[in-house]
Amino acid sequence: MRRISRYFKTYFGPILLAVLLLFAQAMCDLSLPNYMSNIVNTGIQQGGITNAAPSAVSTKGLQFFKNFMSQDQKTLIDNSYQLVQKGTDTSSYPQNKTEDIYELKDSADRQAVSNLFGETTWTFINTMKSLQSKMGSKASTTQDSSTQTDVSNIDFSKLYQMEPMLARVPQQTFADARKKAAGVQDSMKLQSGAVLVKAFYQELGVDTAQIEQNYIIREGLYMLLFTLGSVAAAILVGLLASRVSAGMSRDLRRDVFNRVNAFSNTEFDKFSTASLITRTTNDITQVQMVVLMGIRMLFYAPMMALGGITMAVRKSVSMTWIIALAVIVLIGLVGVIFSIALPRFKKMQSLIDRMNLVARENLTGLMVTRAFSNQNFEEKRFDKANRNLTDNQRFVNRLMAIMMPVMMLVMNGISLLIVWVGAHQVAQSRIQVGDMMAYMQYAIQIIISFLFISAIFIFLPRASVSAGRIADIIETEPAVQDPPEPKAFRPEKKGCVEFRQVSFRYQGAQEDVLHNISFTAEPGQTTAFIGSTGSGKSTLINLIPRFYDVTEGAVYVDGLDVRQASQKDLRARIGYVPQKGVLLSGTIASNLRYGKADATDEELNAAAQVAQATEFISTMPDGMQTSISQGGSNVSGGQKQRLSIARALATGAQIYLFDDSFSALDFKTDAALRAALKTQISGATVLLVAQRVSTIMDADQIIVLDEGKIVGRGTHRELLNTCPTYYEIASSQLTKEELA
Ligand SMILES: Nc1ncnc2c1ncn2[C@@H]1O[C@H](COP(=O)(O)OP(=O)(O)OP(=O)(O)O)[C@@H](O)[C@H]1O
């Protein structure tokens, strides 16, 4: 992925925004278990009372609980509460109608009072326990032994009856109870204290159900708000991620396409067409998918994992080992799965390449396959490529299929462990139920984060193989390039082509295909090339428009080395007709205009006339507007060649390269075409490759090639006498009379 990292730069802004939104989303998600814990701990267990310092308390109640306080604690209470005469604050505390109450002063240290009441609640509980065990009876208390810590059901009238008895309890008993209470966890002090506060409020006639309801609704609304925030952030991040990934893949496709367009034949020889197609489509899709996933998860998952661990440890340090265990198990699991799956993932793209190659070959060579009844062989070949790909995919998917349930098992196992350990801790009053539930949710969030991270690591290797394959194309410098400062052609020479001691070797080949070729093709003349198959005729022609660059020597057009001119300038002077007529989908007219978009209808008709195409075009249903299907499959081989010739002629070029372009024409058409060429493009330089002697007989100059060397040069007549190779070719095609 590093090699294509510069494509991220354009999208730095949206990515940064996405990261900020993900941070907000993570914060929202991480706050939810906390609110749930508040609802359980404070809302349900403490009746919505957040503080153990009662805002008001009955005089009897305060008096009673003072029995359990030390002298310092009593002083703090005396300084924090003020007596409110009956009838003063009846709306808040209905009981104030009939009796005086104590209200917490505004100046009081609420936290200190809260701690004090929390501790006093436990002093009360401990004292009761101690008295119970001493007296062996429960008559003296409102609690039975199983609900000693439950101060929510206090019957104050019975409690106050105990007061004379408390006077007889030795101070040491209270001191011991206070000492024990001081050791209770703060959260438990707060919880029990809050429950006592609720009882105080009930005694004063306050609607405690309303307090509880208000608290739960408020926390619930916060939860809703944060959930909506999380959803909104997730949607926005989804949009941004889609934009970035789709934009990036568009940029990659554009650059790959442009680069492939600039490739010379050398690069096409290096990358197979099937591979180029896979790279432009499937490979880019892989990268797009991983970018999409990456933006959403790569930042979010670590934030959630780290945030979740921090929050969980804050809730309960004693259960940290469970999180550590989960993380170790997950890392181990993901590690094992990766080591097995990774090589298979990396292999995937080359298997897709192979399948595309076989499918493509089979489709283009369908007729040949049928003609030789080789369908079975092709089926087997495709089947093998298909099976290899399927097996690989199946293996990887099986692994993934195993991974999910195993991860779920770990997740549920961890939840169970938390409930098991947490339940014991709740029983020992070491943590609150809500905290245990929040802990469980944090553990699940951490595990899901690891799942996300592992998902990225599963797709990342495959995408980075794809990214490498894309970068291979983008980073390939075409062998044929424009010079930094292209020179212009000399205007006085119009279409002169000259080869000076040209040798050429294909990349990776052992020896040269062309050896020391020198000749000049003058304007107004036809230079023909003939020779056995593989003698290097097409290769020679391909050097003129720079489809390849010479290995040694130089090719000159109008006195300028073709490597010093711009490719556009050079090719504008050349009308090229390839060996295999290639048409593009469109109409006949659009194909003929391919080399000169602004060619008039008259120019097209004239070109078609010379190319001997007028007759068959006129028999077509829509004439020039007849549609041509992909690859020109709805016209015959000869018709395709004639249209290719007309296309080149329509450009009005100075140099025409006919690479065995008359091979599919019958003798009559061939002759008529050559005659027309002679008159219509009389000033142009014509380089013509042919297998048929009759095609080149009239040429001004014939060059005979054999194994990449020039073995004869001259006119037909001259060569018959001087070149045995030419004579051999001619004698195999012409009658004795024609040879004479
Ligand atoms: N892209 C290529 N890479 C490597 N070698 C090649 C490539 N194209 C052609 N050759 C080799 O170069 C030699 C000359 O090929 P070329 O196509 O120029 O011959 P030709 O004379 O045009 O043959 P034909 O008349 O059959 O078209 C052949 O031996 C061929 O195997």
Side-chain angles (χ1 to χ4, degrees), residues 76-362:
L76 177 65
I77 291 295
D78 290 340
N79 292 337
S80 305
Y81 284 87
Q82 64 193 12
L83 191 70
V84 174
Q85 299 293 328
K86 70 176 175 186
T88 313
D89 195 3
T90 53
S91 59
S92 304
Y93 307 104
Q95 196 64 13
N96 188 226
K97 276 187 201 149
T98 52
E99 59 180 67
D100 295 346
I101 60 169
Y102 277 103
E103 278 192 16
L104 191 65
K105 290 180 189 169
D106 289 340
S107 58
D109 181 349
R110 214 167 235 277
Q111 192 54 47
V113 177
S114 171
N115 288 346
L116 171 56
F117 264 103
E119 209 167 303
T120 304
T121 312
W122 279 92
T123 312
F124 163 73
I125 293 166
N126 292 338
T127 310
M128 289 302 135
K129 272 199 234 172
S130 153
L131 291 179
Q132 256 179 25
S133 62
K134 272 188 196 149
M135 296 163 76
S137 124
K138 46 184 172 174
S140 57
T141 175
T142 52
Q143 327 282 300
D144 67 37
S145 56
S146 64
T147 56
Q148 285 152 353
T149 56
D150 184 5
V151 280
S152 57
N153 297 326
I154 287 178
D155 181 342
F156 279 100
S157 56
K158 280 188 184 166
L159 205 64
Y160 297 151
Q161 284 168 17
M162 283 169 52
E163 208 157 356
M165 186 202 78
L166 286 181
R168 296 196 299 274
V169 174
Q171 280 305 310
Q172 192 52 43
T173 309
F174 291 121
D176 289 346
R178 271 197 297 276
K179 207 170 159 196
K180 243 172 111 185
V184 174
Q185 290 232 339
D186 282 350
S187 63
M188 297 313 297
K189 280 186 204 165
L190 171 71
Q191 191 174 32
S192 305
V195 175
L196 181 66
V197 171
K198 187 178 168 186
F200 280 147
Y201 288 164
Q202 277 168 343
E203 191 193 9
L204 295 180
V206 176
D207 185 357
T208 51
Q210 194 61 43
I211 296 177
E212 182 170 339
Q213 203 180 13
N214 287 349
Y215 182 86
I216 292 176
I217 288 175
R218 197 182 64 223
E219 296 297 292
L221 283 176
Y222 277 128
M223 281 185 89
L224 191 66
L225 196 71
F226 282 112
T227 309
L228 289 177
S230 164
V231 169
I235 292 174
L236 286 175
V237 169
L239 283 174
L240 286 169
S242 308
R243 265 187 83 119
V244 173
S245 59
M248 236 186 95
S249 80
R250 177 201 55 209
D251 296 350
L252 281 170
R253 259 194 306 272
R254 180 195 58 211
D255 287 1
V256 167
F257 185 81
N258 289 347
R259 184 42 64 106
V260 171
N261 250 353
F263 274 1
S264 70
N265 289 20
T266 311
E267 287 77 45
F268 283 114
D269 292 345
K270 195 166 125 196
F271 299 103
S272 72
T273 314
S275 179
L276 284 177
I277 292 173
T278 319
R279 287 170 205 236
T280 325
T281 51
N282 189 294
D283 280 308
I284 292 181
T285 309
Q286 295 298 327
V287 172
Q288 178 176 353
M289 214 171 73
V290 127
V291 171
L292 184 74
M293 263 176 64
I295 293 178
R296 292 162 89 169
M297 294 177 188
L298 204 60
F299 302 103
Y300 178 73
M303 280 189 230
M304 283 302 284
L306 288 177
I309 290 172
T310 316
M311 299 292 271
V313 170
R314 259 211 238 154
K315 284 276 169 222
S316 165
V317 184
S318 59
M319 285 201 284
T320 311
W321 66 271
I322 301 180
I323 301 282
L325 180 74
V327 171
I328 291 169
V329 170
L330 286 174
I331 290 178
L333 204 70
V334 171
V336 170
I337 290 177
F338 275 177
S339 56
I340 304 172
L342 218 58
R344 303 272 185 154
F345 263 115
K346 287 188 170 170
K347 222 168 101 183
M348 201 78 91
Q349 293 314 103
S350 54
L351 290 175
I352 293 177
D353 252 7
R354 175 75 198 150
M355 205 192 64
N356 279 355
L357 181 93
V358 176
R360 199 169 177 278
E361 265 186 5
N362 185 43

Side-chain angles (χ1 to χ4, degrees), residues 652-716:
Q654 295 165 358
I655 302 165
Y656 288 97
L657 309 177
F658 296 104
D659 186 1
D660 209 1
S661 326
F662 305 153
S663 58
L665 305 182
D666 56 81
F667 283 94
K668 194 172 139 241
T669 314
D670 184 356
L673 199 154
R674 276 184 291 112
L677 277 180
K678 238 190 170 89
T679 52
Q680 295 299 315
I681 55 166
S682 55
T685 312
V686 177
L687 288 99
L688 191 147
V689 170
Q691 302 280 4
R692 287 204 299 248
V693 174
S694 60
T695 310
I696 59 163
M697 250 160 54
D698 306 328
D700 303 290
Q701 174 182 216
I702 300 169
I703 292 174
V704 187
L705 286 177
D706 189 28
E707 294 187 350
K709 294 187 194 94
I710 296 182
V711 293
R713 179 196 312 248
T715 60
H716 172 65

Side-chain angles (χ1 to χ4, degrees), residues 26-43:
M27 288 300 114
C28 288
D29 290 349
L30 286 169
S31 68
L32 291 177
N34 218 9
Y35 280 104
M36 186 210 59
S37 150
N38 285 347
I39 287 179
V40 175
N41 290 346
T42 311

